[in-house]
Amino acid sequence: MEPPLNNTKFNLDVSGIVGFLGGGEAISAMESMHFYKYRKWLSWYNSPGSYDIAKHYGRLARSRIWDGIYPGPNEEPAELLGLDGEQGPPYRGVVSGTTLNDTGHVGYVFAQYCRNAKATPSQYSSDPIFTTQTTDDQGPKPQQRKRKTKVMNVVVVDFDNVEDNDDSVEKGSHLTLDSKEFPFWSVAVASIPISLNIAYCILCGFYTEWYAFGVILYGILCNGIACYFIGSTEIYLTHTIPSPHSPPGNGILACKSDTLIVCRGSERAINHVVKAKFVVRYGKEGDDQTYHMIGFSAMSLTIQFIAQLFLIPLSGLFGQIMFLSTLAISWIYNAYLSSIDKGRLQQQLLERHLFGDDSNNMTKLELPTRTSAVVFAMLCGLPDLRGDPDANVECAKGIMCHLLPTDTKVWGRWHYSVCSKVRDLSERHSSGSVRPTSEPFRFTEDACQGFDGKDKSLLCDLLEDARGGYESYCQFLDSARHTPNSNSQSGSGSSLLHTYV
C-alpha cells in the first residue's frame, strides 16, 4: 500500500536537531525513577534528547573504556541523581557543644521538611506585642504600644523511635517509598506515550516506512532498557556510629533566619540527620555488572542519535511526521515527569524512615521574636531540668551565646538573668519543691539595675521575651501531656509542668 504524502517533494530535514531537543526534560524525568519501585518499567517510548542522556548518565559507567567514551569525573550515583550536593543548616549540640557548620544534603532535606510543616501560634504570639516597658516593685510592666520583630518558627522533633535495621550497605538503613505512594493513575498516564509510540511505529511498518519504523522501534528499546538499568537502584541512609557512652544528642539546627529545629534523642538517632548521607548503589556491593550495563545503554543511546542523523532523512514525509510525533508525545510526558517535586519525594523518603506513621514526634510553634524563640528552643533542648543545675546552666549559656552572639552589656545582663532562672528552675525541681516562691521567669527590678534610658527599655523587652519563651515552653509541655503515646521526654517534661505551672 502506498503511504500518504509519498508523492510530495517536501522533506522535513530534522536530522541535525532531533538528538539535542528535550534532553534536559528527559534527564530530569529520570531523576525521579529511583524513588518508585515500578517506574523503571514504564519508559518504553522514543524519548528525545538521546545524546544528552547518554552524555549525562554515561559517567556512571566505571571503566577506562567508558571513561574514554564519556569523559568527565566519575561522580557518585547519589550526586548524579540529585541525592547529594546541598548544604544543610548548621548544628549545635546542647550537651556536647558540638558545632557543625554544614549538616549536608540529608540535613538540608530534613530542614525543608520541617519548614513545610504547619505551625501553631504560641500563646505568647497571641498576646499583645509591646515596644517599651516600665518597671516597678513587681518587675517589668508592658506599656500598650505595639512591638513586633521577625516571626520565628521553632520545630521540636523527638528521635526516640528512630532505629537502624543494620541490614544494608555500610550498616546503613535501606530506604524505600511504599507502593501506595505510586498511584495507579500514574501507570495509566504512562500508558499513553507508550501506546502511541508503539502505534506510530506499527503505522510506519504498515506503510513500508522502514527507516522511520526502525528508528522509532530502536528508540523505544533504547530508552526502555536505559531507564530500567538507571532506575535499578537501592537507596540507603548511612551515618556515623557514636560511642555508646555518648551524652544525649540534643541539639539545634539553625535553619536560615526564621526557623530553629530542636532535635531531641540519643546521639545515634540524631546522627540520622546531622551526620548522615544518602548512598545509591547499583547491583550487589562490589559488583560492577550493572554499571557496565549502564555504559552499554548509554552507547546504544549514542547509536540512536547517529541513526537519527542518517536514517530519518531517507524516510518519506509520512515516516518523518510519525517520528516527530513520537518525539513530541514523549517530550510532553517527560515534561510532566520533570514537574514532579523531587525534593518532596526525598522528604517523604526521609519522613517514612524517621517517623513511620507516627505524627506525634514533631511540634511546630510560631513565636513573635527571635529572643523568645531562642529561650523556648533552649528549654526544649535541655535533656533534663532535674539534673545537675551547673550542667544545665552551662548548656543553656552555650546555646544562647551560639544563637544570640552579642557582646553588649545589655545582652550580657540578659544572658546572666536567663541563666539564673534556668539554675533556679533546675535547683527547685531537683529538690522536689512543689510550688516555687515566685512565678518562674518573672524578673524583678534587680534584673535592670545599673541601666537607664534606652538600654533599660531594651533589657526589659528582652526579659519579657524570655518570659514569653518560657510560657511557650509550658504550652508545649501541656500539649505533649495531652497527646496520646507521647514520648519519654515529653512525659518527663509534663512532670515539670505540674511543678511550675
Side-chain angles (χ1 to χ4, degrees):
M1 181 180 296
E2 184 177 357
L5 306 176
N6 194 46
N7 296 323
T8 182
K9 296 182 179 180
F10 183 76
N11 193 302
L12 289 175
D13 187 6
V14 296
S15 59
I17 60 173
V18 292
F20 298 99
L21 297 179
E25 291 81 358
I27 292 173
S28 179
M30 288 185 174
E31 288 180 350
S32 61
M33 282 194 309
H34 47 278
F35 291 105
Y36 298 113
K37 185 177 181 180
Y38 304 108
R39 266 283 308 279
K40 62 183 180 182
W41 296 101
L42 301 176
S43 300
W44 301 98
Y45 53 87
N46 183 29
S47 176
S50 57
Y51 178 77
D52 288 338
I53 299 173
K55 185 172 64 173
H56 182 78
Y57 288 107
R59 291 179 293 170
L60 283 175
R62 298 176 178 178
S63 74
R64 292 184 179 181
I65 297 176
W66 301 124
D67 290 344
I69 299 175
Y70 303 104
N74 290 119
E75 299 179 3
E76 288 295 322
E79 185 173 355
L80 200 64
L81 297 176
L83 285 167
D84 196 5
E86 297 288 350
Q87 290 187 340
Y91 170 82
R92 167 80 180 198
V94 174
V95 180
S96 64
T98 302
T99 301
L100 300 176
N101 295 325
D102 178 15
T103 50
H105 189 88
V106 176
Y108 169 81
V109 173
F110 179 70
Q112 293 299 114
Y113 170 75
C114 293
R115 285 171 61 87
N116 293 335
K118 185 178 180 180
T120 301
S122 66
Q123 183 63 43
Y124 183 56
S125 298
S126 304
D127 292 340
I129 302 175
F130 308 101
T131 53
T132 61
Q133 296 176 334
T134 60
T135 58
D136 55 20
D137 294 338
Q138 301 299 321
K141 296 296 182 181
Q143 293 180 346
Q144 298 297 323
R145 294 178 60 185
K146 286 290 184 181
R147 172 181 179 266
K148 185 177 181 63
T149 63
K150 187 172 184 178
V151 174
M152 291 286 295
N153 294 311
V154 180
V155 186
V156 183
V157 187
D158 290 299
F159 290 85
D160 287 342
N161 298 325
V162 179
E163 297 179 355
D164 290 317
N165 51 24
D166 289 338
D167 62 351
S168 53
V169 174
E170 298 175 0
K171 296 297 183 180
S173 301
H174 182 210
L175 305 183
T176 182
L177 284 177
D178 191 74
S179 58
K180 68 181 179 181
E181 302 286 347
F182 189 67
F184 176 77
W185 60 264
S186 296
V187 181
V189 173
S191 66
I192 297 176
I194 294 175
S195 58
L196 289 178
N197 272 255
I198 294 175
Y200 290 164
C201 183
I202 294 174
L203 281 176
C204 288
F206 183 76
Y207 289 109
T208 67
E209 291 284 358
W210 298 116
Y211 290 114
F213 170 84
V215 171
I216 294 174
L217 179 60
Y218 186 70
I220 292 174
L221 295 175
C222 286
N223 189 65
I225 294 172
C227 289
Y228 171 80
F229 286 112
I230 294 173
S232 299
T233 62
E234 298 287 345
I235 303 176
Y236 302 93
L237 183 72
T238 64
H239 60 87
T240 59
I241 307 298
S243 167
H245 306 292
S246 298
N250 295 22
I252 297 178
L253 291 165
C255 182
K256 294 187 176 180
S257 60
D258 61 349
T259 304
L260 299 176
I261 304 172
V262 183
C263 303
R264 311 196 303 181
S266 67
E267 185 164 350
R268 182 186 178 106
I270 292 178
N271 280 354
H272 284 75
V273 170
V274 301
K275 295 182 180 179
K277 67 175 182 177
F278 291 120
V279 175
V280 177
R281 291 296 172 92
Y282 286 96
K284 296 181 179 180
E285 188 176 2
D287 184 10
D288 293 333
Q289 184 65 28
T290 305
Y291 291 100
H292 287 305
M293 296 308 299
I294 293 175
F296 284 116
S297 299
M299 176 59 73
S300 67
L301 290 171
T302 304
I303 296 174
Q304 176 193 358
F305 167 70
I306 297 174
Q308 291 172 354
L309 289 177
F310 289 98
L311 299 182
I312 290 301
L314 299 178
S315 180
L317 180 61
F318 178 76
Q320 294 177 8
I321 292 176
M322 292 295 99
F323 172 74
L324 286 178
S325 297
T326 60
L327 292 184
I329 293 170
S330 301
W331 177 82
I332 293 173
Y333 181 62
N334 284 340
Y336 158 73
L337 294 179
S338 299
S339 66
I340 297 176
D341 188 353
K342 267 77 75 175
R344 179 56 185 163
L345 291 178
Q346 296 180 35
Q347 294 172 29
Q348 291 176 351
L349 201 67
L350 193 61
E351 176 189 14
R352 291 187 62 82
H353 171 68
L354 296 178
F355 307 125
D357 297 326
D358 188 358
S359 60
N360 297 326
N361 293 69
M362 175 182 293
T363 303
K364 186 175 183 178
L365 283 184
E366 180 183 287
L367 290 100
T369 64
R370 181 175 179 84
T371 312
S372 59
V374 168
V375 172
F376 170 69
M378 175 269 294
L379 291 172
C380 291
L382 292 176
D384 189 2
L385 276 174
R386 295 171 296 184
D388 182 7
D390 292 334
N392 285 327
V393 169
E394 287 299 319
C395 293
K397 183 178 180 181
I399 287 297
M400 289 189 295
C401 290
H402 176 72
L403 297 176
L404 296 171
T406 306
D407 295 330
T408 64
K409 293 183 178 180
V410 172
W411 281 99
R413 176 64 64 84
W414 181 83
H415 283 199
Y416 173 80
S417 300
V418 173
C419 287
S420 298
K421 289 298 182 181
V422 171
R423 179 184 296 276
D424 186 48
L425 286 173
S426 183
E427 288 178 346
R428 290 174 178 173
H429 194 65
S430 299
S431 64
S433 175
V434 179
R435 297 293 297 178
T437 58
S438 62
E439 183 180 350
F441 275 77
R442 176 66 71 182
F443 299 92
T444 64
E445 177 68 19
D446 293 339
C448 300
Q449 187 176 2
F451 293 90
D452 55 13
K454 292 183 178 181
D455 287 344
K456 186 175 183 178
S457 298
L458 174 60
L459 181 56
C460 289
D461 289 341
L462 298 178
L463 294 175
E464 177 66 16
D465 284 342
R467 184 193 62 81
Y470 174 79
E471 289 184 352
S472 301
Y473 176 63
C474 293
Q475 175 188 348
F476 165 74
L477 293 180
D478 186 54
S479 175
R481 181 166 57 89
H482 291 90
T483 300
N485 300 324
S486 59
N487 54 58
S488 60
Q489 285 188 339
S490 296
S492 64
S494 297
S495 64
L496 179 66
L497 177 70
H498 289 302
T499 305
Y500 293 109
V501 177

